[in-house]
Amino acid sequence: QVQLVESGGGLVQPGGSLRLSCAASGRILSINVMGWYRQAPGKQRDLVATITSRGSIKYADSVTDRFTIARDNAKKTVYLQMNSLKPEDTAVYYCNADLISMYRGPIETYWGQGTQVTVSS
């Protein structure tokens, strides 16, 4: 089965940095879009950043100039470098991928298990 495995979450002080990683595995034919979403308690899950297979990138207004998304197609991995972290960045961060696998015909969306990012002094 397709899996998205995340790592890199944790507790940091305001102004600190974290780097999240997400590796896709399984019988994957192609990955069109990979990205990161986050969900704080009591709020909806919102887009943080996405990157397409061609390298097109989108950022949420709240993270632009602080976060950087990157992708290694050979490793089927997406990264999120988070700098100048603020308390309001505290959330569960979820990896997302729109991909075509050998298990199902059409493109499907997959989610990672989520990793907690807490920014607090």
PDB file of all heavy atoms in Angstrom, residues 79-97:
ATOM      1  N   TYR A  79      10.320  18.036   1.382  1.00  0.00           N
ATOM      2  CA  TYR A  79      10.850  18.636   2.586  1.00  0.00           C
ATOM      3  C   TYR A  79      10.166  19.976   2.842  1.00  0.00           C
ATOM      4  O   TYR A  79       9.725  20.656   1.920  1.00  0.00           O
ATOM      5  CB  TYR A  79      12.356  18.875   2.467  1.00  0.00           C
ATOM      6  CG  TYR A  79      13.150  17.650   2.074  1.00  0.00           C
ATOM      7  CD1 TYR A  79      13.441  17.389   0.736  1.00  0.00           C
ATOM      8  CD2 TYR A  79      13.609  16.765   3.036  1.00  0.00           C
ATOM      9  CE1 TYR A  79      14.169  16.273   0.370  1.00  0.00           C
ATOM     10  CE2 TYR A  79      14.345  15.644   2.675  1.00  0.00           C
ATOM     11  CZ  TYR A  79      14.618  15.405   1.339  1.00  0.00           C
ATOM     12  OH  TYR A  79      15.341  14.296   0.983  1.00  0.00           O
ATOM     13  N   LEU A  80      10.119  20.348   4.088  1.00  0.00           N
ATOM     14  CA  LEU A  80       9.646  21.667   4.469  1.00  0.00           C
ATOM     15  C   LEU A  80      10.619  22.249   5.482  1.00  0.00           C
ATOM     16  O   LEU A  80      10.671  21.797   6.623  1.00  0.00           O
ATOM     17  CB  LEU A  80       8.237  21.619   5.058  1.00  0.00           C
ATOM     18  CG  LEU A  80       7.607  22.978   5.367  1.00  0.00           C
ATOM     19  CD1 LEU A  80       7.322  23.742   4.073  1.00  0.00           C
ATOM     20  CD2 LEU A  80       6.332  22.818   6.176  1.00  0.00           C
ATOM     21  N   GLN A  81      11.397  23.228   5.047  1.00  0.00           N
ATOM     22  CA  GLN A  81      12.298  23.945   5.931  1.00  0.00           C
ATOM     23  C   GLN A  81      11.534  25.106   6.550  1.00  0.00           C
ATOM     24  O   GLN A  81      11.045  25.978   5.832  1.00  0.00           O
ATOM     25  CB  GLN A  81      13.515  24.460   5.170  1.00  0.00           C
ATOM     26  CG  GLN A  81      14.491  25.256   6.016  1.00  0.00           C
ATOM     27  CD  GLN A  81      15.177  24.417   7.067  1.00  0.00           C
ATOM     28  OE1 GLN A  81      15.649  23.317   6.768  1.00  0.00           O
ATOM     29  NE2 GLN A  81      15.236  24.910   8.289  1.00  0.00           N
ATOM     30  N   MET A  82      11.432  25.108   7.863  1.00  0.00           N
ATOM     31  CA  MET A  82      10.667  26.112   8.579  1.00  0.00           C
ATOM     32  C   MET A  82      11.615  26.949   9.420  1.00  0.00           C
ATOM     33  O   MET A  82      12.249  26.439  10.345  1.00  0.00           O
ATOM     34  CB  MET A  82       9.598  25.459   9.454  1.00  0.00           C
ATOM     35  CG  MET A  82       8.659  24.539   8.687  1.00  0.00           C
ATOM     36  SD  MET A  82       7.309  23.886   9.711  1.00  0.00           S
ATOM     37  CE  MET A  82       8.257  22.868  10.849  1.00  0.00           C
ATOM     38  N   ASN A  83      11.714  28.219   9.098  1.00  0.00           N
ATOM     39  CA  ASN A  83      12.570  29.153   9.814  1.00  0.00           C
ATOM     40  C   ASN A  83      11.724  30.234  10.476  1.00  0.00           C
ATOM     41  O   ASN A  83      10.566  30.442  10.120  1.00  0.00           O
ATOM     42  CB  ASN A  83      13.578  29.797   8.867  1.00  0.00           C
ATOM     43  CG  ASN A  83      14.511  28.804   8.222  1.00  0.00           C
ATOM     44  OD1 ASN A  83      14.922  27.819   8.841  1.00  0.00           O
ATOM     45  ND2 ASN A  83      14.880  29.063   6.967  1.00  0.00           N
ATOM     46  N   SER A  84      12.324  30.921  11.426  1.00  0.00           N
ATOM     47  CA  SER A  84      11.648  32.014  12.132  1.00  0.00           C
ATOM     48  C   SER A  84      10.281  31.591  12.639  1.00  0.00           C
ATOM     49  O   SER A  84       9.281  32.290  12.464  1.00  0.00           O
ATOM     50  CB  SER A  84      11.533  33.237  11.218  1.00  0.00           C
ATOM     51  OG  SER A  84      12.803  33.673  10.778  1.00  0.00           O
ATOM     52  N   LEU A  85      10.241  30.454  13.270  1.00  0.00           N
ATOM     53  CA  LEU A  85       8.968  29.893  13.709  1.00  0.00           C
ATOM     54  C   LEU A  85       8.306  30.762  14.771  1.00  0.00           C
ATOM     55  O   LEU A  85       8.974  31.344  15.633  1.00  0.00           O
ATOM     56  CB  LEU A  85       9.171  28.480  14.230  1.00  0.00           C
ATOM     57  CG  LEU A  85       9.361  27.429  13.135  1.00  0.00           C
ATOM     58  CD1 LEU A  85       9.980  26.159  13.698  1.00  0.00           C
ATOM     59  CD2 LEU A  85       8.025  27.114  12.471  1.00  0.00           C
ATOM     60  N   LYS A  86       6.990  30.827  14.691  1.00  0.00           N
ATOM     61  CA  LYS A  86       6.168  31.605  15.600  1.00  0.00           C
ATOM     62  C   LYS A  86       5.233  30.684  16.366  1.00  0.00           C
ATOM     63  O   LYS A  86       4.913  29.596  15.896  1.00  0.00           O
ATOM     64  CB  LYS A  86       5.334  32.631  14.826  1.00  0.00           C
ATOM     65  CG  LYS A  86       6.132  33.557  13.923  1.00  0.00           C
ATOM     66  CD  LYS A  86       5.204  34.433  13.099  1.00  0.00           C
ATOM     67  CE  LYS A  86       5.972  35.355  12.184  1.00  0.00           C
ATOM     68  NZ  LYS A  86       5.062  36.197  11.364  1.00  0.00           N
ATOM     69  N   PRO A  87       4.765  31.107  17.534  1.00  0.00           N
ATOM     70  CA  PRO A  87       3.806  30.273  18.275  1.00  0.00           C
ATOM     71  C   PRO A  87       2.576  29.909  17.448  1.00  0.00           C
ATOM     72  O   PRO A  87       2.045  28.803  17.611  1.00  0.00           O
ATOM     73  CB  PRO A  87       3.435  31.151  19.471  1.00  0.00           C
ATOM     74  CG  PRO A  87       4.649  31.981  19.704  1.00  0.00           C
ATOM     75  CD  PRO A  87       5.186  32.274  18.327  1.00  0.00           C
ATOM     76  N   GLU A  88       2.134  30.799  16.577  1.00  0.00           N
ATOM     77  CA  GLU A  88       0.973  30.511  15.755  1.00  0.00           C
ATOM     78  C   GLU A  88       1.229  29.457  14.683  1.00  0.00           C
ATOM     79  O   GLU A  88       0.296  29.020  14.008  1.00  0.00           O
ATOM     80  CB  GLU A  88       0.424  31.786  15.099  1.00  0.00           C
ATOM     81  CG  GLU A  88       1.480  32.617  14.398  1.00  0.00           C
ATOM     82  CD  GLU A  88       1.993  33.759  15.261  1.00  0.00           C
ATOM     83  OE1 GLU A  88       2.263  33.516  16.452  1.00  0.00           O
ATOM     84  OE2 GLU A  88       2.112  34.893  14.750  1.00  0.00           O
ATOM     85  N   ASP A  89       2.484  29.044  14.513  1.00  0.00           N
ATOM     86  CA  ASP A  89       2.796  27.933  13.624  1.00  0.00           C
ATOM     87  C   ASP A  89       2.533  26.586  14.280  1.00  0.00           C
ATOM     88  O   ASP A  89       2.619  25.554  13.611  1.00  0.00           O
ATOM     89  CB  ASP A  89       4.252  27.991  13.164  1.00  0.00           C
ATOM     90  CG  ASP A  89       4.551  29.203  12.304  1.00  0.00           C
ATOM     91  OD1 ASP A  89       3.723  29.540  11.435  1.00  0.00           O
ATOM     92  OD2 ASP A  89       5.620  29.808  12.497  1.00  0.00           O
ATOM     93  N   THR A  90       2.246  26.581  15.561  1.00  0.00           N
ATOM     94  CA  THR A  90       1.986  25.342  16.272  1.00  0.00           C
ATOM     95  C   THR A  90       0.785  24.629  15.670  1.00  0.00           C
ATOM     96  O   THR A  90      -0.304  25.198  15.558  1.00  0.00           O
ATOM     97  CB  THR A  90       1.743  25.616  17.755  1.00  0.00           C
ATOM     98  OG1 THR A  90       2.926  26.159  18.344  1.00  0.00           O
ATOM     99  CG2 THR A  90       1.361  24.338  18.485  1.00  0.00           C
ATOM    100  N   ALA A  91       0.979  23.380  15.273  1.00  0.00           N
ATOM    101  CA  ALA A  91      -0.071  22.601  14.632  1.00  0.00           C
ATOM    102  C   ALA A  91       0.455  21.199  14.368  1.00  0.00           C
ATOM    103  O   ALA A  91       1.649  20.926  14.515  1.00  0.00           O
ATOM    104  CB  ALA A  91      -0.514  23.250  13.321  1.00  0.00           C
ATOM    105  N   VAL A  92      -0.450  20.329  13.974  1.00  0.00           N
ATOM    106  CA  VAL A  92      -0.060  19.053  13.405  1.00  0.00           C
ATOM    107  C   VAL A  92       0.147  19.267  11.915  1.00  0.00           C
ATOM    108  O   VAL A  92      -0.750  19.768  11.226  1.00  0.00           O
ATOM    109  CB  VAL A  92      -1.107  17.958  13.653  1.00  0.00           C
ATOM    110  CG1 VAL A  92      -0.686  16.653  12.981  1.00  0.00           C
ATOM    111  CG2 VAL A  92      -1.307  17.739  15.146  1.00  0.00           C
ATOM    112  N   TYR A  93       1.307  18.905  11.427  1.00  0.00           N
ATOM    113  CA  TYR A  93       1.646  19.082  10.022  1.00  0.00           C
ATOM    114  C   TYR A  93       1.495  17.753   9.294  1.00  0.00           C
ATOM    115  O   TYR A  93       2.040  16.729   9.724  1.00  0.00           O
ATOM    116  CB  TYR A  93       3.065  19.617   9.869  1.00  0.00           C
ATOM    117  CG  TYR A  93       3.184  21.087  10.190  1.00  0.00           C
ATOM    118  CD1 TYR A  93       3.023  21.540  11.496  1.00  0.00           C
ATOM    119  CD2 TYR A  93       3.431  22.025   9.189  1.00  0.00           C
ATOM    120  CE1 TYR A  93       3.102  22.890  11.792  1.00  0.00           C
ATOM    121  CE2 TYR A  93       3.520  23.369   9.484  1.00  0.00           C
ATOM    122  CZ  TYR A  93       3.356  23.802  10.792  1.00  0.00           C
ATOM    123  OH  TYR A  93       3.445  25.143  11.080  1.00  0.00           O
ATOM    124  N   TYR A  94       0.761  17.782   8.191  1.00  0.00           N
ATOM    125  CA  TYR A  94       0.461  16.586   7.422  1.00  0.00           C
ATOM    126  C   TYR A  94       1.081  16.667   6.038  1.00  0.00           C
ATOM    127  O   TYR A  94       0.923  17.664   5.333  1.00  0.00           O
ATOM    128  CB  TYR A  94      -1.049  16.399   7.261  1.00  0.00           C
ATOM    129  CG  TYR A  94      -1.791  16.158   8.554  1.00  0.00           C
ATOM    130  CD1 TYR A  94      -2.331  17.216   9.272  1.00  0.00           C
ATOM    131  CD2 TYR A  94      -1.963  14.872   9.041  1.00  0.00           C
ATOM    132  CE1 TYR A  94      -3.021  17.003  10.450  1.00  0.00           C
ATOM    133  CE2 TYR A  94      -2.653  14.645  10.219  1.00  0.00           C
ATOM    134  CZ  TYR A  94      -3.182  15.719  10.918  1.00  0.00           C
ATOM    135  OH  TYR A  94      -3.870  15.494  12.087  1.00  0.00           O
ATOM    136  N   CYS A  95       1.757  15.614   5.664  1.00  0.00           N
ATOM    137  CA  CYS A  95       2.244  15.481   4.305  1.00  0.00           C
ATOM    138  C   CYS A  95       1.105  15.030   3.401  1.00  0.00           C
ATOM    139  O   CYS A  95       0.266  14.220   3.801  1.00  0.00           O
ATOM    140  CB  CYS A  95       3.395  14.471   4.260  1.00  0.00           C
ATOM    141  SG  CYS A  95       4.095  14.184   2.628  1.00  0.00           S
ATOM    142  N   ASN A  96       1.088  15.541   2.187  1.00  0.00           N
ATOM    143  CA  ASN A  96       0.045  15.213   1.224  1.00  0.00           C
ATOM    144  C   ASN A  96       0.668  14.927  -0.134  1.00  0.00           C
ATOM    145  O   ASN A  96       1.639  15.561  -0.524  1.00  0.00           O
ATOM    146  CB  ASN A  96      -0.948  16.374   1.115  1.00  0.00           C
ATOM    147  CG  ASN A  96      -1.912  16.214  -0.042  1.00  0.00           C
ATOM    148  OD1 ASN A  96      -1.672  16.728  -1.138  1.00  0.00           O
ATOM    149  ND2 ASN A  96      -2.994  15.492   0.191  1.00  0.00           N
ATOM    150  N   ALA A  97       0.091  13.969  -0.846  1.00  0.00           N
ATOM    151  CA  ALA A  97       0.547  13.669  -2.199  1.00  0.00           C
ATOM    152  C   ALA A  97      -0.625  13.277  -3.074  1.00  0.00           C
ATOM    153  O   ALA A  97      -1.471  12.476  -2.665  1.00  0.00           O
ATOM    154  CB  ALA A  97       1.587  12.556  -2.193  1.00  0.00           C
TER     155      ALA A  97
END
